[in-house]
Amino acid sequence: MGCIGNLLWFICGGFISGISWVLAGCLWCITIVGIPVGIQCFKFASLSFFPFGKEVVYNGGAMSTLINIIWLIVSGLPLAIEHAVLGCLLCITIIGIPFGKQYFKLAKLALMPFGAVVK
């Protein structure tokens, strides 16, 4: 399912999802202070382009929590809403449920991306 799922995902919506992460990363990289946040966005853009067969593990400390709060206020909420709405739309059909699950995984990641590791 991994290879075929990723190919279908990329063609049918993953490209748009990944571009959203890349755009957020570019906006964060405009400032010098935001470069580490932008780099993290670029890492998660690759997950957003091809999510099947990958797992997100959450572990973080106090610094991750602080950066996640700033992220949520500035960029996280629009990305999370985008992924959650697309996930709900895809879950309407039985065929779209696996793709909807991937969007929900990305929505959770968009809320709290720092301290998360993709495996």
Side-chain angles (χ1 to χ4, degrees), residues 4-90:
I4 295 172
N6 280 328
L7 182 63
L8 289 173
W9 169 268
F10 186 78
I11 293 169
C12 297
F15 180 74
I16 294 169
S17 177
I19 291 297
S20 298
W21 281 97
V22 169
L23 180 63
C26 289
L27 291 175
W28 276 100
C29 284
I30 290 173
T31 65
I32 293 174
V33 177
I35 290 175
V37 178
I39 291 171
Q40 191 76 352
C41 289
F42 296 139
K43 289 178 188 176
F44 292 135
S46 67
L47 170 71
S48 187
F49 283 131
F50 304 108
F52 286 95
K54 296 179 183 169
E55 182 181 335
V56 180
V57 178
Y58 294 93
N59 56 3
M63 192 61 159
S64 295
T65 304
L66 178 64
I67 296 173
N68 276 328
I69 291 170
I70 295 169
W71 164 263
L72 184 63
I73 294 169
V74 177
S75 307
L77 216 49
L79 278 172
I81 290 171
E82 170 194 356
H83 293 312
V85 167
L86 290 172
C88 288
L89 289 174
L90 283 170

